[in-house]
Amino acid sequence: MSFLDPVKGFGVTFATMFKTVVTEDYPKNPEAPAERYHGRHQLNRHPDGLEKCVGCELCAWACPADAIFVEGGDNTDEERYSPGERYGANYQINYLRCIGCGLCIEACPTRSLTMTNEYEMADDDRQRLIYTKDMLLAPLLPGMEQPPHPLRLGDSEDYYVKGPELLRDRTANRTNSEGPQ
Amino acid sequence: MTSTLPAATSPAPQDPPGLVVPEGHVKLTIDGVELTAPKGELLIRSAERIGTAIPRFCDHPLLEPVGACRQCLVEVEMGGRPMPKPQAACTQTVADGMVVRTQLTSPVAEKAQRSNLEFLLLNHPLDCPVCDKGGECPLQNQVMANGSGHSRMVDTKRTFTKPLAISTQILLDRERCVLCQRCTRFSDQIAGDRFIDLLERGSSQQIGIATDQPFQSYFSGNTIQICPVGALTSAAYRFRSRPFDLVSTPGVCEHCAGGCAIRVDWRRGEVTRRMAADDPQVNEEWNCDKGRFAFTYVGLDDRLTKPLVRNADGVLAEASWTEAMSAAAAGLATARDSAGVGVLTGGRLTVTDAYAYAKFARLALRTNDIDFRTRAGSAEEDTFLARHVVGNTPETGGVTYTDLEQAKTILLVGLEPEEEAGILFLRLRKSWRQHGSRIYSVGAVKTRGLTKLGGILVPAVPGAEPGVVAGLADSPVGEGLRAAHAVLLVGERAAEVPGLLTAAAQLAESTGARIAWVPRRAGDRGAVEAGALGSLLPGGRPVDGPAARAEVEKSWGASVPDRPGRNTGEILAAAAAGELAGLVVAGVSIEDLPDPTAAAKALAGVGFLVSLEIRRSAVTDLADVVFPVAASVEKDGAYRNWEGRDRPYDATITGKGTLADARVLDTLGVEMDVDLYTQTVKAATADLQRLGAFTGPRPTLAEVPDRPTRPAVEEPRGFLLATWRMNLDGGSLQDGEPYLAGTARAEVARISAVAAAALDLTDGSSVTVSTARGALTLPVEISPVADEVVWLPGRVAGASLASTIGAGHGDRVHLAAATTKGGS
Ligand code: SF4
Ligand code: SF4
Ligand code: FES
């Protein structure tokens, strides 16, 4: 037992003072999560603003926590929300149940459903944690128009049908590829 | 054992050493398993019997084989020689010594099936996510199980405009069709409505309709159910949910006396669709469109949820159950003790509910004034029901669907099966097509429905039917009826013609033909059994039989009034005349009653009116106390179909807090100091069963009453009215389903060519039908009817003939070309 023993333990403390910190300064300076972080869902849009969701409920089916509720609806020429016949008329995700597994994203046949990096979803009210379609829909970017409206991407339905192909062609021509959203 | 079989890859066949081949059977081998099969059996069925499922799309056990989809290919070897190409197991019949190898043991069959699947998918769109069949699709399932994950098709797929509405209800998506022809075969063979067919050739081959005739069949919904892909879907269910959302509950259809087994699919406390369930004894695998689509009435805005009591200001206001109960009990007790109370139950109740009314009337109201009929009743009908109907069930030898199928001669009296009992119509058609039965119908119109039964019209103008029926005994029809397997089916409409029921019963007795009664509503037969009739106590016990009454009194432990009750017409007349001080009315539309105006007056004028209803109606508006009751899907219970077969079912939608009529009456009874023991279906059923059926002598047939002479023809153009209600006619249980309503038949007045010429009318021109009470205008359809007869649908533009022209079957009406509006 040496007289230095009582201060020996501070070695770690002092040494750590000169290392980079691992904690984050939340909520003052929140860090960006990893690029593929499973955050709040988003229902994406076509470039003209029409919704990509077709109301197929595959996400709801895939969800192991039964967090998603979808009801389909019938598009008409007068009232069109998505290309094609069917759209998601009622869409809700219950974040009290969602476990963030992302199986819904894999199930979605239209790439309508993706996850954003947003994680600040704590609340003290159960009702507010059931996100409805209006809360989940992607914002209208420039050039987008709030549905219902007719198909705006040319009179051929090509864009909507061949979207992924076109996108692939486009990204292949470009060196710098951005994730489709 | 066949030594020619090259080393089978299947497990060693445990062939029973000496497989006995019964008479009319052959011996064959499937995948190394030896079996016997009746001659003529299809390979696909024989394989099923040994537990081998051969994939299929077009094959359906109730349709004739066609071999259209080629999915069921198997390898077949006959007499040691393999057939050159794989054979379709759904068209190939068994033969002695046949050696069959399915996909389980034959690489050739397996490859043929896999390739066919790929072929079927060539032009099939990949829109499973938005297809209503997705998740329950035979094609999807087979591709997932056996198909290839990749398509070698690189070209653009064939596309069609989608969807195509082939009726207001049925949507056709030709891209998805695999041309199995199940739909066209069903429509042609089963329903007899060949409104859809294969059109075009080659890769443009498609299902379609004629340009001028939509797919307006009463049975069109079945094609949706049997379509093995999502090519046929319904407008009502379009995109409403996916199969995995739904909970399926077995149920029984509440729309007619057929008693179809159904499957009710529901989600979040609401029915989303209904399907036909498989019940080989009753509906086989079919139902009619009314049973399939008409279920939305339950959730309409006018649904009653709380009891209503008329307050001091004369306004019907919501009240608590306790308040309503004591108000009703007090009002009914006062009315009972003054002039008495009558009960009208309507024909839509389950057996236990009808029983509760029957018991409530006898014990709490101390009367036999109860009637389930909303139409005219008569003493003749009461006798007929007591003698020929009540207590006849399949167990006690009553006529069944199967009997009809095997019958040689069937005589229809006052019954138009296609309009009044859809599923019975399908069975009769099967009887004619498959067993060659001869079907006769006594009536004034040779209908398309009768033609589809291969039927022969025995012409009888309205009112003359009893004489015609009586005269049949010595005709070829009578001969047919005298032979074995003859059935006389009497519709409830027969009661409209005095003497007809008696004549029919006498014909049956003199020829030895079996007789059955076919009412129109699901609850009619159960009401007769349960004693919701003035002359009959439960179990068919006559009120005026002291012994029968004593049995009931013993079981109920209370005395039962001995004066036979009045029928609907008489009860309403008595109420109007002040001879009754109160009425209890369940599920009755004033409109349906024989004289709606007088009925409305009687209901408005009666001292105290209690109504038990599911929705607001003209009756609830007049009532002093209204109790909301559970709709059919919300309660347990049972219907008795026309055969007398018990059709029990459990509640599908629970948790709405709605109560069945029997439960409400039980509580009301307690409030009036009587115990009904009908608070649950179990208790009520036990109570009814304890009574059992009446074993005493049944009443004898009355003499044919003198037919009242019809009013003389007031003018040369007085036509005799023939009428019945159509299958789809805007009745209150069809409310809230516009797509179904769109498939209803056009409302027309049918007259003969001679009559049309005399009136200067042509096909399609408008005719005004009038009586002293009113008039209505309809397009003419020149039809095979007697020259002095006009046929009208029972309801025109949603209103009954009784309420518009005040006329019924057999009345004289005036016809004129509709030149000026309003008619004469
Ligand atoms: S988000 Fe995607 S998977 Fe979910 S319903 Fe919409 S289209 Fe279907
Ligand atoms: S519509 Fe359906 S049932 Fe009719 S032929 Fe096509 S796949 Fe078969
Ligand atoms: S099932 Fe045999 S050919 Fe279709």
Side-chain angles (χ1 to χ4, degrees), chain A residues 158-172, chain B residues 154:
Chain A
D158 275 357
Y159 173 80
Y160 305 105
V161 177
K162 297 204 187 123
E165 269 167 61
L166 296 176
L167 203 65
R168 229 179 292 132
D169 295 348
R170 222 192 310 149
T171 37
Chain B
V154 288

Side-chain angles (χ1 to χ4, degrees), chain B residues 224-536:
Chain B
I224 300 176
Q225 194 172 339
I226 57 175
C227 180
V229 296
L232 292 165
T233 51
S234 73
Y237 178 67
R238 186 168 161 85
F239 303 160
R240 284 208 52 201
S241 67
R242 315 294 326 231
F244 47 84
D245 295 326
L246 302 174
V247 183
S248 301
T249 315
V252 176
C253 178
E254 76 277 37
H255 287 290
C256 85
C260 288
I262 55 170
R263 188 183 106 192
V264 188
D265 285 359
W266 57 280
R267 179 188 199 187
R268 296 201 297 153
E270 252 183 54
V271 176
T272 44
R273 65 171 175 183
R274 304 207 316 194
M275 320 267 264
D278 185 7
D279 189 336
Q281 307 221 286
V282 178
N283 55 311
E284 303 197 289
E285 292 179 37
W286 320 122
N287 70 354
C288 77
D289 285 3
K290 184 157 58 171
R292 184 177 298 263
F293 297 117
F295 55 80
T296 41
Y297 69 92
V298 174
L300 296 182
D301 289 345
D302 57 2
R303 185 74 200 267
L304 293 164
T305 50
K306 291 222 173 77
L308 306 173
V309 176
R310 199 167 290 281
N311 61 22
D313 311 329
V315 184
L316 260 189
E318 281 191 1
S320 70
W321 279 94
T322 326
E323 263 175 275
M325 280 293 168
S326 50
L332 286 178
T334 318
R336 172 193 67 200
D337 298 337
S338 62
V341 182
V343 183
L344 302 179
T345 69
R348 296 185 183 129
L349 300 174
T350 59
V351 178
T352 40
D353 283 347
Y355 177 63
Y357 280 97
K359 198 168 178 184
F360 183 78
R362 269 68 184 227
L363 298 189
L365 303 175
R366 297 181 210 137
T367 177
N368 283 312
D369 285 338
I370 174 169
D371 196 348
F372 68 95
R373 290 170 291 212
T374 44
R375 54 196 165 79
S378 62
E380 183 194 358
E381 186 179 10
D382 289 0
T383 319
F384 177 84
L385 294 176
R387 178 165 181 82
H388 293 286
V389 177
V390 73
N392 290 356
T393 65
E395 295 82 43
T396 63
V399 178
T400 62
Y401 282 102
T402 318
D403 293 339
L404 289 181
E405 195 175 317
Q406 277 145 16
K408 295 264 182 304
T409 307
I410 299 168
L411 176 65
L412 310 175
V413 177
L415 178 64
E416 178 62 24
E418 190 184 18
E419 305 289 356
E420 296 172 301
I423 211 67
L424 172 65
F425 167 78
L426 292 191
R427 203 47 97 84
L428 288 173
R429 187 171 152 82
K430 184 176 182 194
S431 169
W432 167 62
R433 283 190 88 247
Q434 297 194 359
H435 304 266
S437 66
R438 271 181 175 279
I439 300 178
Y440 300 93
S441 173
V442 177
V445 193
K446 167 117 194 184
T447 58
R448 218 175 64 90
L450 185 59
T451 313
K452 285 187 274 189
L453 297 177
I456 299 159
L457 183 74
V458 180
V461 299
E465 293 98 337
V468 172
V469 169
L472 282 177
D474 308 314
S475 70
V477 183
E479 245 160 66
L481 290 176
R482 256 185 291 274
H485 301 297
V487 179
L488 221 150
L489 284 182
V490 185
E492 68 166 36
R493 278 190 289 115
E496 289 171 353
V497 184
L500 183 50
L501 284 170
T502 314
Q506 280 172 345
L507 180 64
E509 283 183 2
S510 69
T511 56
R514 299 164 76 197
I515 188 165
W517 179 68
V518 184
R520 222 174 56 82
R521 288 191 169 157
D524 281 339
R525 181 61 198 273
V528 177
E529 305 287 337
L533 195 60
S535 58
L536 285 183

Side-chain angles (χ1 to χ4, degrees), chain B residues 606-635:
Chain B
V606 75
F608 193 72
L609 176 61
V610 176
S611 165
L612 291 89
E613 254 297 359
I614 62 169
R615 288 162 60 199
R616 268 185 177 272
S617 73
V619 178
T620 62
D621 288 346
L622 295 171
D624 295 291
V625 179
V626 179
F627 290 108
V629 287
S632 181
V633 274
E634 296 159 355
K635 60 184 179 192

Side-chain angles (χ1 to χ4, degrees), chain A residues 38-39 41 56-68 91 93 98-109 113-115:
Chain A
H38 287 185
H41 298 75
C56 70
E57 302 189 23
L58 291 187
C59 47
W61 199 4
C63 180
D66 202 5
I68 309 184
Y91 195 104
I93 296 182
C98 177
I99 54 168
C101 67
L103 288 181
C104 49
I105 312 304
E106 290 189 35
C108 182
L113 195 64
T114 53
M115 279 168 149

Side-chain angles (χ1 to χ4, degrees), chain B residues 135-294:
Chain B
E136 56 180 8
C137 172
L139 180 62
Q140 194 181 34
N141 291 347
Q142 285 194 31
V143 173
M144 299 296 275
N146 311 316
S148 142
H150 300 277
S151 173
R152 288 183 285 163
M153 169 98 162
V154 288
D155 306 288
T156 315
K157 294 194 179 209
R158 172 203 57 192
T159 54
F160 286 114
T161 313
K162 60 196 275 177
L164 201 67
I166 53 176
S167 72
T168 50
Q169 182 67 279
I170 312 287
L171 306 174
L172 169 66
D173 195 318
R174 291 162 294 173
E175 289 173 15
R176 296 179 187 149
C177 173
V178 293
L179 300 171
C180 70
Q181 298 167 53
R182 275 185 172 189
C183 54
T184 55
R185 282 182 294 147
F186 170 84
S187 305
D188 183 20
Q189 297 164 14
I190 308 291
D193 294 324
R194 203 173 165 194
F195 297 144
I196 48 172
D197 214 335
L198 269 186
L199 314 174
E200 309 287 343
R201 283 287 173 272
S203 74
S204 358
Q205 193 164 45
Q206 54 186 274
I207 299 293
I209 48 169
T211 40
D212 56 343
Q213 171 64 63
F215 186 24
Q216 275 186 341
S217 165
Y218 287 150
F219 307 98
S220 60
N222 290 298
T223 60
I224 300 176
Q225 194 172 339
I226 57 175
C227 180
V229 296
L232 292 165
T233 51
S234 73
Y237 178 67
R238 186 168 161 85
F239 303 160
R240 284 208 52 201
S241 67
R242 315 294 326 231
F244 47 84
D245 295 326
L246 302 174
V247 183
S248 301
T249 315
V252 176
C253 178
E254 76 277 37
H255 287 290
C256 85
C260 288
I262 55 170
R263 188 183 106 192
V264 188
D265 285 359
W266 57 280
R267 179 188 199 187
R268 296 201 297 153
E270 252 183 54
V271 176
T272 44
R273 65 171 175 183
R274 304 207 316 194
M275 320 267 264
D278 185 7
D279 189 336
Q281 307 221 286
V282 178
N283 55 311
E284 303 197 289
E285 292 179 37
W286 320 122
N287 70 354
C288 77
D289 285 3
K290 184 157 58 171
R292 184 177 298 263
F293 297 117

